[in-house]
Amino acid sequence: MMLRIGHGYDVHQFAEGRKLILGGVEIPSAKGLLGHSDADVLAHALMDAVLGAMRAPDIGQLFPDTDPAYEGADSMKLLHEVGNLMRKEGFELVDADTTIAAQAPKLAPYKDQMRSCMAEALGVAPDKVGVKATTTERLGFVGRKEGIAAWAVVLLEKT
């Protein structure tokens, strides 16, 4: 048995005229996140964690923001591709845990839906994906409501 740990981190700034998508869920908000794709900061952190555990290229290399094919891309489709790559390379997701740091909006009502969306995209049971949300007590760029940050850790097993 071979176990691998991966860690992912992503951050996006707020922008007018964009939808706020987190963990595949559209969250009611006056602003969304700026990015080449849908800027789903939580899904991006989770993808990088999975890819890191596999020692594969990161999402910037797999889905470059210089490629017009990924402009406005649905991050759940990209996460699905990462899940397929994970299985193709002989890995199984044992567990994943994620954290979103956002001063606003309040995310607690959406955590279970985020878990389900990301688990479905990865092709795993929802109990294998954790989602937590926190604020930064008004400190830093998150606390000033300039953007959102997300972290993810995963444990993969080589099958």
Side-chain angles (χ1 to χ4, degrees), residues 14 18-22 25-29 31-33 38-39 104-105 107 148:
F14 280 116
R18 302 259 315 183
K19 292 180 181 178
L20 179 58
I21 310 290
L22 295 171
V25 178
E26 187 173 339
I27 310 294
S29 176
K31 294 180 182 178
L33 295 173
D38 62 7
L107 300 175
I148 294 179

Side-chain angles (χ1 to χ4, degrees), residues 62-75:
L62 287 181
F63 313 114
D65 63 6
T66 55
D67 188 337
Y70 301 114
E71 187 171 352
D74 179 344
S75 291

Side-chain angles (χ1 to χ4, degrees), residues 77-96:
K77 290 181 181 176
L78 302 180
L79 183 58
H80 181 75
E81 287 186 42
V82 168
N84 286 342
L85 178 62
M86 175 184 71
R87 283 181 287 283
K88 179 182 170 199
E89 295 297 321
F91 288 95
E92 179 182 332
L93 181 76
V94 176
D95 197 46

